[in-house]
Amino acid sequence: METLIWSLLEDRTDRLALNRATMSLLFRELIASETVQSSTDEDRLLVDRALQYIEAEYSHASLSEFARRESIEVYTISRRIKSATGCTFRELLQTSRLVHAAALLRQTDLSVSDIADAVGYSNLSWFYRAFSLRYEGTPAAYRRYHKL
């Protein structure tokens, strides 16, 4: 967290890359620390791989592709992730997409439409709805409030 705050205060050329890496680590820690309930070591490893996959491929990730990579049936992997985290794969993916969208709103001048597309939302209305529910305001309002 200190790195993120420090990078916001300092005028560094690598600020965007540093913030992305920091947000990625924070996202993984948040999900791992708050949602992993009692589960087997195997399920914890599966959740860790799912979070790594989501973080790396958030713009086009899918449960079916992750299940294929893991050689596990979609239903089985879905049930194990939900059991271990209390969240569905889709909820974890949406959280990652929205966190990345918020970072892009703060750090770039890309249009909301371009940001929605970049993080994996092909339906702009759905992006607005999901973003507004999570951040209690429109993407434009979020940008105005948080823009440096």
Side-chain angles (χ1 to χ4, degrees):
M1 187 60 103
E2 289 176 37
T3 303
L4 185 61
I5 294 169
W6 177 77
S7 72
L8 294 173
L9 297 175
E10 296 289 321
D11 187 25
R12 296 176 47 110
T13 57
D14 63 342
R15 178 173 41 180
L16 184 59
L18 183 62
N19 288 348
R20 281 185 180 160
T22 303
M23 290 302 296
S24 173
L25 292 171
L26 286 172
F27 172 72
R28 289 188 65 212
E29 184 60 30
L30 174 69
I31 296 297
S33 67
E34 290 189 6
T35 61
V36 175
Q37 302 163 350
S38 61
S39 58
T40 66
D41 287 340
E42 185 178 320
D43 285 348
R44 286 188 192 107
L45 291 173
L46 176 68
V47 168
D48 189 48
R49 288 192 306 273
L51 293 174
Q52 289 173 10
Y53 168 74
I54 288 169
E55 191 57 33
E57 310 289 339
Y58 63 88
S59 66
H60 56 274
S62 73
L63 177 59
S64 59
E65 175 59 20
F66 180 66
R68 187 192 65 74
R69 289 181 182 193
E70 292 291 315
S71 300
I72 302 173
E73 292 293 325
V74 171
Y75 171 77
T76 301
I77 207 164
S78 179
R79 182 180 45 78
R80 288 174 61 190
I81 289 172
K82 173 75 173 181
S83 174
T85 66
C87 298
T88 65
F89 182 90
R90 181 177 299 273
E91 290 167 336
L92 295 173
L93 178 57
Q94 182 169 307
T95 297
S96 179
R97 286 177 172 172
L98 293 174
V99 165
H100 283 91
L104 288 171
L105 286 166
R106 286 189 312 273
Q107 299 167 355
T108 72
D109 291 324
L110 290 172
S111 70
V112 173
S113 178
D114 287 344
I115 289 173
D117 189 53
V119 299
Y121 284 93
S122 57
N123 183 320
L124 190 58
S125 294
W126 176 243
F127 172 73
Y128 270 92
R129 186 176 305 121
F131 192 92
S132 295
L133 284 172
R134 174 146 181 109
Y135 293 101
E136 299 178 349
T138 67
Y142 180 89
R143 173 177 269 162
R144 279 191 305 274
Y145 184 78
H146 291 93
K147 189 78 171 174
L148 297 176

